[in-house]
Amino acid sequence: VAANAKNISTAMEWVNTSGKVIPSGGSNPINAMKTAMNLKPDVIYLLSENITGAGRYEVPPEELLAALNRLNPVDSRNGLRRVQINCIAYLTQDPLRTMQRIAEIHGGDDGYTFIERGRVGQ
């Protein structure tokens, strides 16, 4: 669906009332990517402000990239990966370029997009 004001409001209401989204103080992108890959998609859109996390939840970028390579290896028959992973970074630029690196390795043409703070929700 389009990310217009009505749809964003509807999505946020669902997040706040569904009981299915339970914040717990941290995230692990590797576990989330395993779950996504198990669905056998053609394309995954990875949206994150800080994909590697911080503090005790931090995942080193090289560990994340290695895990994604294991989950989405190159097929030796055709040189392609099974799943295209397009990345959307938002709010702040990642100085380590982790999302850009994921998109370069796993994404399609123009697989990386950055949305600056002033454009979120427009």
Side-chain angles (χ1 to χ4, degrees):
V1 298
N4 59 40
K6 180 180 183 281
N7 290 338
I8 291 170
S9 179
T10 300
M12 291 308 299
E13 182 178 337
W14 178 84
V15 166
N16 291 326
T17 62
S18 71
K20 297 182 185 295
V21 179
I22 303 166
S24 62
S27 63
N28 185 328
I30 296 170
N31 289 337
M33 292 304 292
K34 283 180 188 174
T35 299
M37 291 289 190
N38 285 336
L39 297 172
K40 301 195 183 319
D42 293 323
V43 179
I44 293 173
Y45 286 88
L46 184 57
L47 172 70
S48 181
E49 179 184 11
N50 179 5
I51 191 68
T52 55
R56 72 179 203 201
Y57 301 109
E58 187 170 0
V59 176
E62 297 309 320
E63 182 180 321
L64 176 57
L65 291 169
L68 287 175
N69 280 330
R70 286 189 300 276
L71 290 169
N72 193 32
V74 173
D75 185 329
S76 61
R77 295 170 296 175
N78 60 19
L80 302 174
R81 294 179 187 272
R82 184 175 61 81
V83 179
Q84 178 179 319
I85 303 172
N86 292 331
C87 297
I88 304 167
Y90 66 103
L91 301 182
T92 56
Q93 289 278 13
D94 173 12
L96 301 175
R97 298 184 58 248
T98 307
M99 292 282 279
Q100 287 169 284
R101 291 169 66 197
I102 293 169
E104 289 166 0
I105 296 167
H106 298 271
D109 293 338
D110 299 319
Y112 174 79
T113 301
F114 173 69
I115 301 173
E116 60 195 21
R117 186 172 296 278
R119 291 191 48 222
V120 173
Q122 291 183 351

